[in-house]
Amino acid sequence: MSQYHTFTAHDAVAYAQQFAGIDNPSELVSAQEVGDGNLNLVFKVFDRQGVSRAIVKQALPYVRCVGESWPLTLDRARLEAQTLVAHYQHSPQHTVKIHHFDPELAVMVMEDLSDHRIWRGELIANVYYPQAARQLGDYLAQVLFHTSDFYLHPHEKKAQVAQFINPAMCEITEDLFFNDPYQIHERNNYPAELEADVAALRDDAQLKLAVAALKHRFFAHAEALLHGDIHSGSIFVAEGSLKAIDAEFGYFGPIGFDIGTAIGNLLLNYCGLPGQLGIRDAAAAREQRLNDIHQLWTTFAERFQALAAEKTRDAALAYPGYASAFLKKVWADSVGFCGSELIRRSVGLSHVADIDTIQDDAMRHECLRHAITLGRALIVLAERIDSVAREVYGADGVDFTPLAQRKLKELQERPDAAELGLCMVKTQYSLSDDAKLLGRPENFDIHIREVYVNAGAGFVVALTGAIMTMPGLPKVPAANGIDVEDGKITGLF
Ligand code: SR1
Ligand code: MG
């Protein structure tokens, strides 16, 4: 073991020669520091031909993007290496390979991925990788299932939870996601032009209650070993390939956090596209992003459920229908965490290039505003439909038709969406949307067929099942007011 010191390029070469697992290590001759993230040093190590052959990554004892005034534990390097090793075990094709790790030096050597590109840059440049979303859904299903109670023996699960206790990094997320954007804080970072939008977040009691519930779940739900910071900047893509990197925020937390932050970054890109591509090209790219989100979730949910059917041994968790009921809760969590990622990346310390690199100030502000509005609506509105279904009707969850999903998305972009009331239109014969399920039915979903706004009444109307609506009639028919006076018809409207 060696004592901690900050690596130079020379150290990185020597380290890679020893630990990169290369047949002829003396071929490694130079290194370049290429880290552009918020936290660490990252060296590419090159051979005599100038080909990058390995990556050496070292944690600094402080937050790189802020400086030494914000000290940070070196133990995060252990947590990163161990999370990546655990994830590699369950999803080798989608996790970067760690060759070697030293906890004292807080350094690791990993597979070189120079033939891949960071997904965020590709999304911004609108280079499409048709398999990426499905592969990300598969990675998340494999690693989250195999580190959850659906798979691990309870003793093993508890031992792993202890191994991955990560208080310092969790505290960063707890503050940046769930505190800072909803209060005045020196770390916040947004243009003065957005002051009114951000002040509205601080004054929004309904939103802050929903955010409190999300933070509480982040604190308390040790469901699986999360990546903890899975966004398009911590994913490498190449044709037909996707690899997750950068897992220093790994800990046992709510599964919906990883899904939500992954989806949130696709939506941040969605919000920024008009500023990156122009309105016309952005429309087609936006369809792709929405399609990617759908693919990501459906792949994740299908794989997770298939793994549960095949591998869950716990008698209670294996009970038919439980995995699917659990996934509905994961979806509700994901929507909320997705919304909080949109807000914290627009208002808080750490932003995304998808929006921040937009040159035109007015356009950039509009995209930020869109991300904030969408984030708020996702946190508040989706949770409300879900909670009416569960708590009032006793449903397991909610299914939305594609039409309802599309309408809901349009609706979420309305600035007044969260102020609207919710009117669920359903059969009077049952708590479900099936008139034949009388009494207090159980094990059913509410099916949302369509969603629209009755703006005059101030309601979002959600049509359930096969229900039909009729035009409203006044108490006194309008015909009663129609008359003929001196040859003229009166009372028409
Ligand atoms: C102080 S670290 C700020 C952000 O950078 C990381 O990539 C995480 O997303 C974190 O929230
Ligand atoms: Mg990271």
Side-chain angles (χ1 to χ4, degrees):
M1 297 247 192
S2 340
Q3 255 203 328
Y4 183 84
H5 59 276
T6 306
F7 266 29
T8 60
H10 185 263
D11 295 325
V13 173
Y15 204 78
Q17 284 176 338
Q18 234 184 315
F19 297 115
I22 286 178
D23 289 343
N24 191 354
S26 60
E27 280 298 299
L28 298 177
V29 290
S30 64
Q32 191 186 354
E33 208 278 313
V34 294
D36 62 353
N38 291 330
L39 298 173
N40 306 297
L41 290 177
V42 180
F43 296 92
K44 275 187 170 198
V45 182
F46 300 96
D47 65 17
R48 286 181 202 284
Q49 282 70 47
V51 177
S52 174
R53 302 287 299 277
I55 298 293
V56 173
K57 178 171 179 179
Q58 186 182 40
L60 292 166
Y62 52 85
V63 174
R64 180 176 183 166
C65 66
V66 174
E68 294 183 32
S69 62
W70 187 346
L72 192 56
T73 174
L74 292 176
D75 191 39
R76 69 183 192 272
R78 172 188 70 83
L79 285 148
E80 170 166 13
Q82 291 181 350
T83 301
L84 290 170
V85 167
H87 282 190
Y88 187 86
Q89 201 188 330
H90 306 305
S91 183
Q93 65 277 44
H94 299 314
T95 311
V96 66
K97 186 170 171 49
I98 301 295
H99 295 305
H100 181 80
F101 156 67
D102 183 324
E104 297 296 314
L105 289 168
V107 78
M108 67 199 85
V109 188
M110 64 184 97
E111 161 186 22
D112 178 75
L113 290 171
S114 297
D115 54 342
H116 287 59
R117 286 166 172 268
I118 290 287
W119 197 16
R120 189 183 302 288
E122 300 297 88
L123 288 166
I124 294 170
N126 202 23
V127 182
Y128 191 53
Y129 292 79
Q131 295 170 48
R134 269 195 300 270
Q135 290 175 332
L136 181 54
D138 183 52
Y139 160 75
L140 289 168
Q142 296 293 345
V143 304
L144 297 173
F145 173 82
H146 286 102
T147 56
S148 76
D149 293 291
F150 283 91
Y151 179 69
L152 293 175
H153 183 279
H155 290 189
E156 175 58 18
K157 161 84 182 326
K158 289 170 182 67
Q160 289 199 21
V161 171
Q163 179 191 345
F164 287 96
I165 295 287
N166 194 353
M169 304 308 281
C170 284
E171 189 182 5
I172 292 180
T173 301
E174 287 147 14
D175 288 342
L176 297 190
F177 270 74
F178 308 113
N179 290 2
D180 292 2
Y182 308 97
Q183 62 188 10
I184 294 173
H185 200 287
E186 62 188 11
R187 276 190 300 244
N188 283 339
N189 166 25
Y190 56 85
E193 287 81 351
L194 263 66
E195 186 50 52
D197 307 75
V198 180
L201 300 178
R202 293 197 292 269
D203 292 342
D204 189 332
Q206 188 188 15
L207 175 70
K208 286 166 93 164
L209 270 178
V211 170
L214 288 168
K215 185 178 189 188
H216 198 182
R217 289 204 277 286
F218 186 84
F219 277 143
H221 284 205
E223 289 172 351
L225 176 57
L226 308 188
H227 178 285
D229 191 26
I230 188 81
H231 52 77
S232 47
S234 48
I235 293 168
F236 269 112
V237 287
E239 203 182 318
S241 173
L242 174 141
K243 304 255 184 191
I245 58 165
D246 270 4
E248 61 263 79
F249 287 81
Y251 90 114
F252 273 78
I255 287 175
F257 184 79
D258 269 1
I259 312 283
T261 49
I263 292 177
N265 278 268
L266 288 169
L267 280 181
L268 284 158
N269 180 265
Y270 174 99
C271 292
L273 281 170
Q276 299 288 356
L277 303 181
I279 306 280
R280 201 167 296 159
D281 288 346
R286 282 181 153 197
E287 278 302 311
Q288 285 179 333
R289 302 300 174 268
L290 295 183
N291 194 39
D292 273 357
I293 291 169
H294 182 253
Q295 302 265 5
L296 193 168
W297 170 256
T298 50
T299 305
F300 166 78
E302 282 166 20
R303 300 267 151 90
F304 194 101
Q305 205 159 342
L307 287 165
E310 184 194 339
K311 295 185 174 180
T312 299
R313 296 285 162 264
D314 182 88
L317 271 55
Y319 192 73
Y322 181 68
S324 127
F326 173 75
L327 284 170
K328 290 189 173 117
K329 291 205 181 86
V330 170
W331 175 244
D333 277 3
S334 305
V335 173
F337 288 124
C338 171
S340 48
E341 173 75 345
L342 287 172
I343 289 180
R344 76 103 175 190
R345 294 284 194 187
S346 311
V347 171
L349 171 76
S350 177
H351 283 220
V352 291
D354 313 57
I355 297 180
D356 268 22
T357 57
I358 297 170
Q359 295 300 310
D360 181 82
D361 287 348
M363 174 59 96
R364 189 174 62 259
H365 298 163
E366 221 22 70
C367 294
L368 283 171
R369 207 168 267 127
H370 185 187
I372 295 170
T373 309
L374 184 55
R376 177 172 176 271
L378 285 171
I379 294 173
V380 173
L381 188 68
E383 174 141 320
R384 279 165 60 209
I385 291 187
D386 197 70
S387 59
V388 170
R390 283 179 211 286
E391 286 159 29
V392 182
Y393 304 141
D396 289 339
V398 192
D399 272 345
F400 295 87
T401 62
L403 172 67
Q405 283 177 22
R406 214 169 40 246
K407 291 285 188 70
L408 194 59
K409 237 223 91 259
E410 285 165 18
L411 175 60
Q412 283 161 347
E413 293 179 14
R414 289 174 63 117
D416 61 342
E419 271 87 55
L420 297 169
L422 176 63
C423 173
M424 299 281 277
V425 183
K426 58 179 288 304
T427 172
Q428 71 272 37
Y429 297 112
S430 174
L431 285 165
S432 75
D433 56 41
D434 178 353
K436 295 191 286 301
L437 291 180
L438 303 178
R440 185 85 176 102
E442 287 181 343
N443 302 326
F444 66 89
D445 287 339
I446 293 279
H447 303 95
I448 308 290
R449 190 177 85 238
E450 196 180 337
V451 179
Y452 57 84
V453 176
N454 274 351
F459 275 111
V460 175
V461 180
L463 296 185
T464 69
I467 196 79
M468 304 287 286
T469 55
M470 292 171 60
L473 295 175
K475 275 193 193 149
V476 180
N480 288 6
I482 300 174
D483 210 347
V484 181
E485 290 167 14
D486 300 330
K488 273 180 144 183
I489 302 173
T490 59
L492 285 181
F493 54 91

